[in-house]
Amino acid sequence: MNDFGLLPMRFDDLGLAPDLLRAIADQGYAEPTPIQAQAIPIVLAGQDLMGGAQTGTGKTAAFTLPLLQRILPFASASPSPARHPVRVLMLAPTRELAIQVHESVRGYSKYVPLRSACVYGGVDIKPQIAEIRLGVEVLVATPGRLLDLIEQRCLNFGSVQALVLDEADRMLDMGFIPDVTRIINLLPQQRQSLLFSATFSEEIKKLADRMLKSPVLIEVARRNTVSETITHRVHPVAAEAKRALLVKLLRSSDFNQVLVFTRTKIETNKLARELQRAGIAADSIHGDKSQQERLKALEAFKDGSVLVLVATDVAARGLDIDELPHVINFELPRTPEDYIHRIGRTGRAGKPGTAVSLVSASEVPYLVDIEKLIRIQVEQIVVPGFEPEDDYTYPPGGERRRRQPAAAPAPPAPLATARSERTQFRAEQREAASRPGISRRPHHIAADGFDFSKPYESADPHPVATPADGNAAKGIARVEQPHKPRRPLAALLGGLGRK
Ligand code: AMP
């Protein structure tokens, strides 16, 4: 068995062209991941595909390699732009993801005469227009910038043979579906379409119905599951002691690269500054930063000069950092699926990872929602000197940790939270809308009816704790039982980085 739970299979068995196999060998991939083994033959056969795959599963190569092969017969060494029309269009929700997908396209197409380009907002449009006018077969784009380019009349979609919609669920979250629909309407009816999404809500299924023809459905992980190579841990801690605990964790463990999540941009900046003051090489990444600043922070993080990157959910989406071993949730997300997206940065392609969450009393209800979604009861460990508030009660309403008849933990207030999340998305969209020539960017989330305040509907009405790994299992009494946070072990902090 390989790391991904499949019998060994070779890229050579998938019917890919020798020049693509050479490029794969250069990447150092020993064997296809499950999504690659399943999707490549389907895409090569020209079928539509609906792929249920999280980031980290190797999905980019799963769609890029066979699509490159399908357009290979049209590859031309001619310098004439007319010989290089757009044949494959790949849409990604964020600039970071678009850049990442394009890097993959370039890597896999290095030995074939196919041209590719990547276009995204927040940077000067003119160089992108110039590049497109030279002719490109594969265009990777964020929806907003693509519409800008369409308005500038520098794109012709008459030769588009295939469309890829990557991270469709995040497209929906960010309110991009109207833009995507507009783009789809400009493409030839006769085309191959592939849609990838980590989760499949009713809205995504509706979009797939409109976009795909008799698609083959491939799911490499169960809906809303997390990578089995990730160890989850909760440190119950009073809200005001979180910063000090974070500094202690970062100092005491052999962390090399840590992505720290906060809920708001303001908190992101503040926390990064405080970590810097504590002598920790930290930076932040969020939607208010310019594209240059974001790329600079990401590069510094990748090359190791910044050890801790503090990020918001939206900004972190699509970050591909090889072998990122640790994610710390400084604050829990209010939408449980965002927990899965956050920790999708670690444990990628079968590698081990650790997801640590600092949880204060008022966040326990969010923890409960997350545990229901991922079907794991997460081990809770109190770090000495960083105890939670007296009214930290798990599960909410339980009696085990309540030291005094205190008020119940703050209710989750889903509507208020949904509003603040919308505000954050809106701010990102305002940034997009501030680009010249855009009047049709959606100014509000849920233009297509998506409602963040909706409670999560589990696929299983009675979720059972099914630990994904031995470490999580240690923390499990039984899901139905009140769960007392475990007392600390002396070796705990030192061991964190090696889990
Ligand atoms: P993705 O899910 O496409 O974002 O890919 C996640 C990571 O897995 C990227 O860093 C890829 O370079 C890596 N990857 C993709 N395919 C393979 C493979 N067959 N073997 C090992 N790593 C891979």
Side-chain angles (χ1 to χ4, degrees):
M1 296 278 265
N2 61 21
D3 280 355
F4 305 102
L6 269 197
L7 289 172
M9 185 185 207
R10 295 170 335 136
F11 276 108
D12 296 20
D13 301 329
L14 291 171
L16 291 168
D19 283 340
L20 297 177
L21 291 174
R22 259 171 82 201
I24 293 166
D26 286 358
Q27 299 282 335
Y29 303 163
E31 59 204 31
T33 64
I35 185 95
Q36 291 162 4
Q38 291 177 66
I40 290 174
I42 291 164
V43 180
L44 281 178
Q47 287 183 275
D48 282 9
L49 178 78
M50 178 146 155
Q54 310 168 37
T55 49
T57 52
K59 66 182 163 67
T60 316
F63 61 76
T64 303
L65 289 166
L67 288 178
L68 286 173
Q69 174 136 338
R70 279 180 61 74
I71 59 169
L72 211 47
F74 303 97
S76 165
S78 160
S80 162
R83 303 296 301 274
H84 301 277
V86 178
R87 297 191 185 276
V88 174
L89 181 61
M90 298 177 174
L91 296 180
T94 62
R95 303 167 238 190
E96 284 79 8
L97 183 64
I99 290 169
Q100 220 171 270
V101 168
H102 184 229
E103 273 171 16
S104 297
V105 171
R106 283 174 53 165
Y108 303 138
S109 63
K110 66 200 267 198
Y111 297 119
V112 295
L114 289 168
R115 299 178 182 174
S116 63
C118 183
V119 294
Y120 45 85
V123 294
D124 189 2
I125 198 168
K126 289 192 205 81
Q128 295 178 353
I129 293 176
E131 193 177 4
I132 285 173
R133 290 221 159 109
L134 291 175
V136 291
E137 277 89 0
V138 182
L139 184 61
V140 186
T142 53
R145 178 49 62 98
L146 191 66
L147 284 171
D148 295 343
L149 289 160
I150 292 167
E151 271 179 10
Q152 305 265 340
R153 299 183 186 283
C154 58
L155 276 167
N156 180 341
F157 288 145
S159 301
V160 169
Q161 291 168 232
L163 167 72
V164 179
L165 196 60
D166 198 8
E167 300 206 347
D169 49 352
R170 188 50 53 146
M171 294 263 194
L172 186 72
D173 286 357
M174 295 174 78
F176 288 154
I177 296 304
D179 282 359
V180 169
T181 306
R182 211 167 286 129
I183 292 164
I184 291 175
N185 289 339
L186 298 171
L187 303 180
Q189 289 280 324
Q190 272 299 333
R191 58 159 206 272
Q192 186 175 16
S193 303
L194 318 177
L195 180 149
F196 288 84
S197 189
T199 53
F200 284 112
S201 61
E202 284 311 310
E203 287 83 357
I204 295 290
K205 286 193 197 135
K206 270 189 228 148
L207 176 70
D209 278 348
R210 291 201 301 271
M211 184 181 143
L212 308 172
K213 289 192 189 117
S214 315
V216 180
L217 174 67
I218 295 181
E219 259 185 303
V220 291
R222 206 179 64 228
R223 250 174 81 166
N224 295 330
T225 52
V226 292
S227 167
E228 301 204 347
T229 55
I230 295 176
T231 302
H232 305 259
R233 180 181 299 122
V234 160
H235 292 309
V237 54
E240 67 277 7
K242 279 190 178 188
R243 270 165 236 289
L245 176 57
L246 179 65
V247 169
K248 186 179 172 79
L249 290 173
L250 293 173
R251 281 198 181 135
S252 61
S253 302
D254 53 347
F255 284 119
N256 38 6
Q257 268 187 320
V258 190
L259 195 53
V260 174
F261 282 97
T262 62
R263 288 186 44 245
T264 62
K265 295 173 206 173
I266 294 172
E267 183 62 52
T268 303
N269 276 337
K270 217 167 109 193
L271 190 57
R273 273 198 307 272
E274 282 172 7
L275 292 177
Q276 287 162 5
R277 275 201 290 274
I280 294 166
D283 204 348
S284 61
I285 184 164
H286 57 69
D288 276 355
K289 292 205 160 184
S290 71
Q291 176 68 354
Q292 267 72 20
E293 285 172 321
R294 289 161 79 164
L295 288 177
K296 210 173 126 217
L298 188 57
E299 280 315 307
F301 188 53
K302 281 184 170 179
D303 73 23
S305 48
V306 161
L307 300 184
V308 180
L309 193 60
V310 189
T312 55
D313 289 291
V314 172
R317 180 73 174 187
L319 294 186
D320 181 21
I321 301 139
D322 281 343
E323 300 184 43
L324 175 63
H326 309 289
V327 166
I328 296 183
N329 295 306
F330 184 75
E331 294 161 310
L332 283 181
R334 281 7 182 189
T335 310
E337 283 173 343
D338 275 340
Y339 181 84
I340 294 176
H341 295 317
R342 285 181 179 188
I343 65 173
R345 312 300 116 209
T346 184
R348 306 191 102 189
K351 297 201 176 90
T354 313
V356 175
S357 301
L358 310 188
V359 179
S360 62
S362 68
E363 291 176 295
V364 172
Y366 304 121
L367 173 62
V368 171
D369 284 351
I370 289 164
E371 289 181 326
K372 265 191 210 150
L373 182 68
I374 64 173
R375 304 185 190 198
I376 294 170
Q377 189 170 30
V378 180
E379 186 179 23
Q380 300 195 19
I381 302 171
V382 176
V383 177
F386 297 92
E387 284 73 17
E389 295 92 344
D390 281 346
D391 61 347
Y392 185 97
T393 311
Y394 179 94
E399 296 300 319
R400 296 295 296 269
R401 270 208 59 84
R402 189 171 289 176
R403 294 181 196 157
Q404 59 189 46
L415 286 172
T417 310
R419 241 175 261 131
S420 77
E421 293 206 342
R422 284 198 193 117
T423 311
Q424 184 175 342
F425 285 128
R426 273 189 209 128
E428 297 237 345
Q429 288 183 328
R430 267 199 301 280
E431 180 200 15
S434 65
R435 300 192 302 267
I438 300 194
S439 53
R440 59 187 143 47
R441 198 74 60 252
H443 290 295
H444 58 92
I445 292 298
D448 52 3
F450 185 78
D451 182 358
F452 280 98
S453 63
K454 257 190 344 196
Y456 167 71
E457 289 168 18
S458 169
D460 176 353
H462 304 292
V464 183
T466 49
D469 60 67
N471 290 307
K474 276 186 247 155
I476 292 183
R478 261 175 296 281
V479 143
E480 299 78 15
Q481 296 296 317
H483 175 75
K484 185 172 179 178
R486 297 196 138 213
R487 279 285 136 196
L489 298 169
L492 168 70
L493 293 173
L496 194 61
R498 285 182 291 277
K499 283 278 172 185

